[in-house]
Amino acid sequence: MARARTYSSRPVLTVNLTALADNYQYLASLIGGARMAASIKADAYGLGSDVVGRALYGAGCRTFFVAHAGEGKLLRTAIGAKASIYVLSGNTPQDTAIFFGSKLKPVINSLTQARDWVKAIKDVNHPPRTALHFDTGINRLGIPNEEVDVFANDKALIEALDVDLVMSHLACAGDREHPLNAQQLGKFKMISALMPMVPLSLANTGGIYLGAEYHFKLVRPGIGLYGGKVTNTPDTEGVKPVVELHAPVLQIKTVKKGETIGYNASFTALKDMKIAIVSAGYADGLPVNLSGSDKRIVTSARLGKHRVPVVGRVSMDYTILDITNYKGFVELGGKAVFFGEDLEAQSAHSQMINYEVMTHLGARCRKIYVNE
Ligand SMILES: *Cc1c(COP(=O)(O)O)cnc(C)c1O
């Protein structure tokens, strides 16, 4: 059996930094005079926040959003002192020292956080500035309706917080027709009018596609930077794929008609078959729901320019491909490719959202950053 000169069994996640930078510039081209920030929480959606952060910094990004102080600390080390890093979860008692040590800006989501922060910075020289996050209808984290008046009227509190951004978050930005978009926009305008002079931010990736009214001073896309599509008209989104999962071929074998393939014998060979066992499974982020059974072949992997069906159940470390009809040459160590241009389709087949698929990919795979 022929094989690549050298190869590892470990699957590889390729992250195309050129496509990432192109997506940054593409989204920037849609927002007129507004500024770009990058949402880089959860290790940049699984892609590695240090390398991704540096690449976006190189593309011109100077404002970043993470979820937790610990994520902000790692990002600060990666990108240096100059950029703003906001922590979406806000300040929590255990993490205050990290905020000061790494110059992280808390996103204040409640009166409790506001008062805790003001107490914490009492004796601190040049504490980080803050963002206020108002809940305008998503009913997730964010300052609730009943606290808006306190923020609007307590001048001393606002002054002590040293607010440099007022933000909110859209619940249904990917759905242009959803009435909640306009409702949240209206409410955001009303609330932010109580704090004039402070820059405003409302749009995630979907919000950018909703148009100029939603852009304000700063937009904070995540998934679009990483090549994910979010609207119900994906063909209108000009982002490029950033991520591919490369699974090396570890073995090729024949299966006789009537035999079964994989766990639970969920696939039966209706004829003699040739299969390739490739090294990537659900522990690498390949969803079990991509399994092919007697009832349904769900998806295919790419071998070079061709597609070969996934047969049998996706297991923890391995996936099985039907290469019976494949005319090309399959060598040991050759790469079967998942996601990339298929991210949206394969996410849909997995009954998962693309965000969810993407964040699962970074756990075990070796990451290789491609700079074309
Ligand atoms: C995750 C997140 C974003 C980015 O959302 P995308 O849909 O990935 O563009 C922006 N703002 C907030 C508050 C978020 O939690």
Side-chain angles (χ1 to χ4, degrees):
M1 177 58 62
R3 68 179 100 121
R5 199 166 52 82
T6 180
Y7 64 95
S8 164
S9 63
R10 194 169 170 201
V12 166
L13 187 70
T14 64
V15 180
N16 186 330
L17 298 178
T18 305
L20 174 77
D22 288 350
N23 291 340
Y24 180 87
Q25 302 304 350
Y26 167 71
L27 293 172
S29 77
L30 302 179
I31 58 171
R35 267 193 307 122
M36 287 281 286
S39 287
I40 200 168
K41 57 215 189 184
D43 202 23
Y45 292 35
L47 311 188
S49 70
D50 49 354
V51 178
V52 167
R54 279 195 294 270
L56 291 170
Y57 191 91
C61 189
R62 292 294 178 273
T63 309
F64 296 84
F65 289 85
V66 296
H68 308 298
E71 294 179 351
K73 181 178 175 177
L74 292 173
L75 183 63
R76 177 62 77 205
T77 306
I79 64 175
K82 284 200 185 117
S84 276
I85 302 176
Y86 291 97
V87 176
L88 289 164
S89 303
N91 53 305
T92 40
Q94 227 177 72
D95 300 325
T96 317
I98 305 177
F99 278 87
F100 299 149
S102 296
K103 294 272 176 236
L104 308 176
K105 297 176 172 181
V107 173
I108 305 287
N109 294 293
S110 68
L111 206 47
T112 305
Q113 282 190 327
R115 290 182 173 143
D116 283 354
W117 182 253
V118 170
K119 232 180 269 170
I121 62 175
K122 207 157 63 69
D123 299 314
V124 176
N125 278 330
H126 304 296
R129 305 186 72 179
T130 70
L132 292 184
H133 178 194
F134 291 97
D135 187 337
T136 52
I138 192 170
N139 286 319
R140 199 183 65 170
L141 202 59
I143 297 165
N145 276 333
E146 60 271 24
E147 293 182 356
V148 171
D149 280 349
V150 185
F151 280 95
N153 297 321
D154 191 339
K155 293 282 180 290
L157 180 69
I158 293 295
E159 196 153 308
L161 289 172
D162 195 14
V163 178
D164 68 359
L165 187 72
V166 167
M167 57 180 275
S168 188
H169 192 41
L170 296 164
C172 307
D175 181 359
R176 193 178 290 282
E177 311 304 325
H178 204 289
L180 197 48
N181 293 323
Q183 280 175 40
Q184 288 196 263
L185 177 64
K187 203 159 171 195
F188 186 57
K189 283 179 176 166
M190 242 166 56
I191 292 171
S192 56
L194 302 170
M195 265 151 270
M197 311 306 290
V198 182
L200 307 179
S201 175
L202 179 61
N204 55 359
T205 303
I208 292 175
Y209 296 120
L210 287 177
E213 263 203 301
Y214 288 82
H215 297 161
F216 295 94
K217 187 73 180 228
L218 185 76
V219 300
R220 25 169 233 278
I223 192 87
L225 296 170
Y226 315 123
K229 307 210 170 169
V230 294
T231 71
N232 27 27
T233 52
D235 292 345
T236 64
E237 298 176 51
V239 294
K240 301 173 181 173
V242 170
V243 194
E244 289 180 350
L245 175 60
H246 292 191
V249 175
L250 293 186
Q251 194 171 39
I252 293 165
K253 58 176 62 163
T254 53
V255 174
K256 291 263 174 281
K257 177 179 174 181
E259 291 182 350
T260 64
I261 291 174
Y263 277 125
N264 292 16
S266 60
F267 182 92
T268 311
L270 297 176
K271 55 180 175 26
D272 290 355
M273 289 175 67
K274 193 164 150 194
I275 59 173
I277 291 83
V278 303
S279 186
Y282 59 79
D284 305 295
L286 198 62
V288 175
N289 281 343
L290 294 181
S291 302
S293 70
D294 289 336
K295 292 198 188 72
R296 205 162 76 99
I297 297 294
V298 177
T299 195
S300 54
R302 304 192 300 282
L303 282 175
K305 290 192 174 69
H306 300 276
R307 287 167 187 276
V308 293
V310 171
V311 290
R313 209 165 87 176
V314 173
S315 58
M316 185 181 291
D317 313 304
Y318 309 112
T319 296
I320 305 160
L321 306 177
D322 174 8
I323 57 170
T324 314
N325 297 324
Y326 180 66
K327 296 286 185 285
F329 175 68
V330 183
E331 61 181 0
L332 297 185
K335 301 282 182 281
V337 178
F338 296 88
F339 308 114
E341 67 201 55
D342 295 337
L343 174 67
E344 267 62 48
Q346 290 184 327
S347 301
H349 291 145
S350 315
Q351 276 117 28
M352 289 162 84
I353 56 175
N354 47 3
Y355 297 75
E356 189 184 4
V357 169
M358 203 178 277
T359 51
H360 288 166
L361 291 175
R364 185 168 71 170
C365 296
R366 187 159 74 95
K367 294 190 197 83
I368 291 186
Y369 295 95
V370 185
N371 206 339
E372 285 172 340

Coordinates of all heavy atoms in Angstrom, one line a residue, residues 39 41 45 88 140 167 169 204-205 220-223 355, ligand 1:
S39 N -15.1 39.8 18.1 CA -15.5 38.9 19.2 C -14.7 37.6 19.1 O -14.7 36.9 18.1 CB -17.0 38.6 19.1 OG -17.7 39.7 19.5
K41 N -14.1 35.5 21.9 CA -14.4 34.6 23.1 C -14.2 33.1 22.7 O -14.2 32.8 21.5 CB -15.8 34.9 23.6 CG -16.9 34.7 22.6 CD -18.0 35.6 22.7 CE -19.1 35.2 21.8 NZ -20.2 36.1 21.8
Y45 N -13.6 31.2 19.0 CA -14.5 30.2 18.5 C -13.8 28.9 18.2 O -14.1 28.2 17.3 CB -15.3 30.7 17.3 CG -16.2 31.9 17.5 CD1 -16.0 32.9 18.4 CD2 -17.4 32.0 16.8 CE1 -16.8 33.9 18.7 CE2 -18.3 33.1 17.0 CZ -18.0 34.0 17.9 OH -18.8 35.1 18.1
L88 N -17.0 40.4 28.3 CA -18.5 40.4 28.2 C -19.2 40.0 29.4 O -20.3 40.5 29.7 CB -19.0 39.6 27.0 CG -18.6 40.1 25.6 CD1 -18.7 39.0 24.6 CD2 -19.5 41.2 25.2
R140 N -31.1 38.1 28.0 CA -29.9 37.3 28.5 C -29.1 38.2 29.4 O -29.7 39.1 30.0 CB -29.1 36.8 27.2 CG -28.2 35.7 27.5 CD -27.4 35.3 26.3 NE -26.4 36.3 25.9 CZ -25.5 36.2 25.0 NH1 -25.4 35.0 24.4 NH2 -24.7 37.1 24.6
M167 N -23.5 49.5 24.9 CA -23.8 48.5 23.9 C -25.1 47.7 24.3 O -25.6 47.8 25.4 CB -22.7 47.5 23.8 CG -22.3 46.8 25.1 SD -20.9 45.7 24.9 CE -21.7 44.2 24.4
H169 N -27.2 43.9 22.6 CA -27.0 42.7 21.7 C -28.3 42.2 21.1 O -29.3 42.1 21.8 CB -26.4 41.6 22.6 CG -25.8 40.4 21.9 ND1 -25.1 40.5 20.7 CD2 -25.9 39.1 22.1 CE1 -24.7 39.3 20.3 NE2 -25.2 38.4 21.1
N204 N -23.6 42.5 16.0 CA -22.8 41.3 15.8 C -22.7 41.1 14.3 O -23.1 42.0 13.5 CB -23.3 40.1 16.6 CG -24.8 39.8 16.2 OD1 -25.4 40.5 15.4 ND2 -25.3 38.7 16.7
T205 N -22.3 39.9 13.9 CA -22.2 39.7 12.4 C -23.5 39.9 11.7 O -23.6 40.6 10.7 CB -21.7 38.2 12.1 OG1 -20.4 38.0 12.8 CG2 -21.5 38.0 10.6
R220 N -19.2 44.4 16.3 CA -18.3 43.4 17.0 C -18.7 42.0 16.5 O -19.1 41.1 17.3 CB -18.5 43.5 18.6 CG -19.8 44.1 19.1 CD -20.0 43.9 20.6 NE -21.3 43.3 20.8 CZ -22.4 44.0 20.8 NH1 -22.5 45.3 20.7 NH2 -23.6 43.3 21.0
P221 N -18.3 41.8 15.2 CA -18.6 40.4 14.7 C -17.7 39.4 15.3 O -16.6 39.7 15.7 CB -18.3 40.6 13.2 CG -17.2 41.7 13.2 CD -17.7 42.7 14.3
G222 N -18.2 38.2 15.3 CA -17.4 37.0 15.6 C -17.4 36.0 14.4 O -16.5 36.0 13.6
I223 N -18.5 35.3 14.3 CA -18.6 34.2 13.4 C -18.3 34.5 12.0 O -17.7 33.8 11.2 CB -20.0 33.5 13.5 CG1 -20.1 32.2 12.8 CG2 -21.1 34.4 12.9 CD1 -19.7 31.0 13.6
Y355 N -21.8 27.9 14.8 CA -21.0 28.3 16.0 C -20.6 27.1 16.8 O -19.5 27.0 17.3 CB -21.8 29.2 16.9 CG -22.3 30.5 16.3 CD1 -23.4 30.6 15.4 CD2 -21.8 31.8 16.8 CE1 -23.9 31.8 15.0 CE2 -22.3 33.0 16.3 CZ -23.3 33.0 15.4 OH -23.8 34.2 14.9
Ligands
LIG1 C1 -20.8 36.5 20.7 C2 -21.2 37.9 20.7 C3 -20.9 38.7 19.6 C4 -20.5 38.2 18.3 O1 -21.6 37.5 17.6 P1 -21.5 36.8 16.2 O2 -22.9 36.3 16.0 O3 -20.5 35.7 16.3 O4 -21.0 37.8 15.3 C5 -21.2 40.1 19.7 N1 -21.7 40.6 20.9 C6 -21.9 39.8 22.0 C7 -22.5 40.5 23.2 C8 -21.7 38.5 21.9 O5 -22.0 37.7 23.0

